[in-house]
């Protein structure tokens, strides 16, 4: 059962697609207490054993209890344990225990989730203004509530099937030759690959919807040449449009009034990669349509996928911020450094993503002007929506790969997300794993992290272990920052170990794709916490480093350095399959309970549930070359599996004959 309450005058985020009457937001909403004396506060008394799920892309555990999280889309690449805000804002939580309650706070500005942080038994959700919709969902279990929520927010984005292949990325590939070298590194070493991502250096001076002509003299021919090798190029698009006379996107945007403006009506200037930029007002329908239409420039040249970046939106500094800093520095020029007050010096580090800058520009929505900070969390969502809506017109029945860095619930209908700038840290393998089910709960199915870690230098073993987790995430992309150690699969010794892991992904693509499609088409989860599948099992409820994958399997990646394996908890009897680099696999049955399982660096472990089986095919160099006619079935004798298969290109998901029964 879902109840919708309205407080004040909410902004219509369009996160929810199901039409529902809203009751007046009272102070008592059945299960919790609302206070409106100082903004909005929702209070809920948690029972001792209650688990709190949700919040999508957020820090810390699968069980969010015991910390404080702030939905405030932020470009912060240092995801240490103390961080409260990451790139996304996913305001859905589920309290699971004797009583089960789901809560969605449809509010596009900053909102705080104090989940037993101030007081261990108290859940407090608060925002400065009381203008929001609150959805209260009751159901028989946390899982049931999640499914109701997913139905309410609409079908998740479905990418083309090639997007289930492996992709290589690195900030720093610049010329055509750089890309050919990566392709060669993979193809020569027989490591499968479907995508190479193009980071900002493919553009001319970081200008969206341009290509550097010197480095790519014939871009369509280059795209075509890569395509012949079975590789798709996936360019990045940044939120900020460079301010430059003669650049058509800039000039058109100014002329039509499609950029975000300051209070005085002038275009707001934010410095990002290209230097001064303007932000397209993607919350405005006309501007959104205009910006989305620009993707055609690359689609017309053969491009079939994009990643949207810097769309929190990230601001290195604003004109105002920089002027203020320069003034301050001038004031103290020639002074003894000791005499400069600390708060003045802090202006240097406080330049980026400054809260005051988000109060300096406005959107124009449905005839009303609205200050950015009041709708801050919707920017990445609407930038991605701009592209998604445009694709429906540009390539009506064709799926285009699309994912974003920043997001809000609702964006899950238009694209996937990657979890932003992580680090080559072992702890981030575990964080990657924990985020996946939470993201699925919030509708984001096409997700993955930068495998091998974005910032910091990776080591060979870390990349191998992380890729072995990435085998199972719908988005499987190795990405690294400029200046870090090179971490493409062929950069380390014993390249066959990397080949083996990526090949395992391809052997499993029919299964992974089938489970993805079933989850998307029925508003279900691809990754589930163990407790959703084994609600009666008290051990399962506490497991944070294993997740269920589809209906048949469980994953338990190794995430510590020098480990020979790891402990796992099996909530039922399962078969451990270890995929090896020689194209074979070993299998072993484990009884319900705790076990130490050995996993070598070049192996990919997967647990198959009692009485189930999964299809396995031979690896190929790219997804479209996989032969899926008669898969080998791995798992328990007599088990059956229903395989979903389609062309992976068009949107005829529900056409007859998509399901095929396979038997072990
Ligand atoms: C941002 C992105 C990262 C990208 C870089 C350069 O940090 O998150 O993925 O490589 O910008 O474009």
């Amino acid at each position: 059962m879902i109840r919708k309450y309205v407080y004040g005058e909410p902004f219509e985020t369009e996160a929810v697609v199901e039409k529902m009457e809203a009751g007046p937001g009272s102070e008592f909403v059945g299960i919790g207490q609302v206070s409106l004396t100082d903004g909005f506060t929702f209070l809920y008394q948690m029972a001792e054993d209650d688990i709190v799920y949700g919040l999508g892309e957020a820090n810390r555990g699968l069980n969010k209890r015991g910390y404080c999280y702030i939905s405030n889309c932020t470009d912060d690449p240092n995801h240490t344990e103390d961080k409260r805000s990451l790139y996304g804002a996913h305001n859905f939580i589920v309290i699971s225990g004797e009583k089960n309650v789901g809560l969605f706070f449809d509010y596009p500005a900053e909102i705080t989730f104090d989940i037993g942080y101030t007081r261990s038994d108290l859940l407090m959700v608060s925002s400065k203004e009381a203008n929001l919709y609150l959805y209260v969902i009751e159901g028989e279990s946390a899982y049931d509530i999640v499914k109701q929520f997913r139905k309410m927010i609409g079908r998740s984005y479905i990418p083309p099937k090639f997007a289930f292949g492996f992709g290589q990325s690195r900030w720093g590939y610049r010329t055509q030759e750089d890309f050919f070298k990566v392709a060669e590194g993979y193809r020569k070493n027989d490591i499968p690959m479907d995508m190479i991502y193009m980071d900002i250096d493919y553009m001319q001076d970081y200008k969206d919807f341009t290509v550097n002509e010197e480095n790519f003299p014939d871009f369509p021919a280059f795209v075509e040449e890569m395509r012949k090798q079975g590789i798709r190029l996936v360019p990045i698009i940044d939120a900020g449009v460079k301010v430059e006379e003669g650049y058509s996107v800039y000039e058109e945007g100014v002329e039509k009034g499609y950029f975000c403006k300051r209070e005085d009506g002038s275009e707001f200037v934010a410095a990002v990669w290209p230097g001064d930029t303007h932000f397209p007002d993607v919350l405005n329908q006309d501007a959104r349509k205009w910006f989305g239409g620009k993707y055609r420039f690359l689609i017309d040249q053969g491009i079939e996928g994009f990643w949207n970046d810097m769309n929190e939106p990230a601001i290195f500094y604003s004109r105002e911020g920089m002027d203020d800093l320069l003034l301050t520095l001038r004031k103290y020029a020639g002074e003894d450094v000791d005499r400069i007050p600390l708060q003045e010096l802090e202006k240097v580090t406080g330049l980026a993503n400054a809260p005051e800058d988000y109060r300096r520009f406005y959107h124009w929505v449905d005839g009303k002007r609205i200050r950015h900070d009041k709708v801050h969390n919707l920017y990445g969502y609407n930038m991605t929506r701009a592209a998604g809506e445009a694709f429906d017109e540009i390539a009506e029945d064709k799926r285009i790969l699309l994912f974003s860095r920043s997001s809000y619930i609702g964006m899950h209908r238009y694209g996937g997300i990657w979890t932003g700038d992580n680090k080559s840290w072992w702890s981030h393998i575990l964080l990657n794993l924990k985020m996946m089910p939470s993201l699925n709960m919030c509708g984001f199915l096409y997700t993955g992290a930068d495998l091998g870690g974005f910032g910091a230098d990776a080591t060979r073993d870390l990349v191998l272990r992380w890729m072995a987790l990435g085998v199972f995430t719908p988005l499987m992309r190795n990405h690294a920052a400029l200046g870090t150690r090179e971490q493409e699969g062929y950069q380390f010794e014993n390249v066959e170990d990397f080949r083996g892991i990526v090949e395992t992904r391809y052997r499993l693509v029919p299964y992974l794709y089938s489970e993805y499609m079933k989850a998307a088409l029925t508003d279900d989860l691809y990754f589930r916490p163990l407790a959703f599948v084994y609600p009666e099992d008290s051990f399962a409820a506490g497991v944070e480093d294993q997740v269920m994958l589809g209906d048949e399997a469980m994953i338990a990646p190794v995430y510590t350095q020098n480990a020979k394996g790891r402990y796992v908890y099996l909530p039922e009897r399962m078969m451990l399959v270890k995929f090896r680099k020689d194209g074979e696999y070993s299998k072993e049955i484990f009884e319900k309970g705790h076990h130490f399982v050995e996993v070598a660096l070049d192996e990919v472990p997967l647990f198959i549930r009692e009485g189930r089986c999964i299809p396995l095919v031979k690896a190929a160099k790219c997804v479209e070359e996989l032969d899926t006619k008669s898969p080998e079935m791995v798992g328990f004798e007599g088990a059956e599996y229903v395989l979903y298969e389609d062309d992976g290109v068009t949107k005829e998901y529900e056409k007859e004959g998509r399901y095929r029964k396979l038997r072990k």
Side-chain angles (χ1 to χ4, degrees), residues 384-598:
T384 302
R385 180 176 176 185
E389 287 175 342
F391 297 163
D392 285 341
E393 289 186 12
I394 300 170
E396 209 184 322
D397 198 38
K398 189 176 159 178
R399 299 184 224 170
I400 306 267
L401 171 59
L402 178 63
F403 57 89
S404 171
R405 190 171 73 177
S406 188
S407 57
Y408 182 85
I409 290 172
M411 201 205 84
H412 70 286
R413 300 191 297 272
Y414 301 97
I417 59 168
W418 95 99
T419 56
D421 299 347
N422 55 14
K423 289 260 167 32
S424 298
W425 295 341
W426 290 88
S427 59
H428 278 186
I429 302 183
L430 185 55
L431 185 61
N432 178 179
L433 180 74
K434 288 178 184 179
M435 271 187 197
M436 295 293 116
S438 313
L439 277 163
N440 281 195
M441 292 176 206
C442 296
F444 295 94
L445 293 186
Y446 190 74
T447 56
D450 286 349
L451 301 174
F454 176 73
D457 290 333
T459 56
R460 178 178 185 274
D461 52 354
L462 174 121
V463 181
L464 283 168
R465 290 298 197 197
W466 209 333
M467 300 260 288
L469 161 60
V471 161
F472 303 104
T473 58
L475 166 63
M476 184 191 191
R477 180 178 81 144
N478 175 330
H479 180 46
L482 189 71
T484 58
R485 183 179 185 185
E486 292 176 313
Q487 64 186 44
E488 292 86 358
Y490 51 82
Q491 300 285 7
F492 301 98
E493 71 267 24
N494 299 350
V495 72
E496 63 276 13
D497 292 357
F498 289 88
R499 182 188 309 131
I501 287 178
V502 181
E503 279 183 351
T504 301
R505 163 67 165 217
Y506 283 75
R507 294 161 80 190
L508 288 166
V509 160
Y511 175 64
L512 303 176
Y513 181 70
S514 167
E515 288 307 298
Y516 184 94
M517 291 305 289
K518 289 183 202 169
L521 297 176
T522 60
D523 303 322
D524 207 330
L525 305 178
Y526 170 92
F527 285 124
R528 300 182 185 100
L530 268 61
F532 280 25
V533 181
Y534 307 96
E536 305 302 329
D537 186 323
S538 55
F539 272 122
V543 175
E544 291 257 342
D545 59 355
Q546 306 168 204
V547 303
M548 304 307 293
L549 162 66
D551 270 329
E552 288 69 28
M554 182 180 81
I555 59 171
V558 177
Y559 54 90
T560 41
Q561 190 160 27
N562 300 317
K564 299 266 180 277
R566 54 161 290 172
Y567 285 94
V568 282
Y569 173 65
L570 302 193
E572 65 176 320
R573 191 166 175 258
M574 288 188 189
M575 177 186 286
L576 168 62
V577 179
K578 286 195 267 188
F579 296 98
R580 297 197 312 237
K581 61 184 170 214
D582 59 3
E584 299 295 324
Y585 56 86
S586 66
K587 44 185 192 175
E588 193 180 345
I589 306 273
F590 285 88
E591 297 302 323
K592 174 181 159 98
H594 296 273
H595 302 274
F596 184 84
V597 298
E598 285 180 20

Side-chain angles (χ1 to χ4, degrees), residues 26 223 364 510 590 607:
S26 59
V223 175
W364 195 258
F590 285 88
F607 291 88

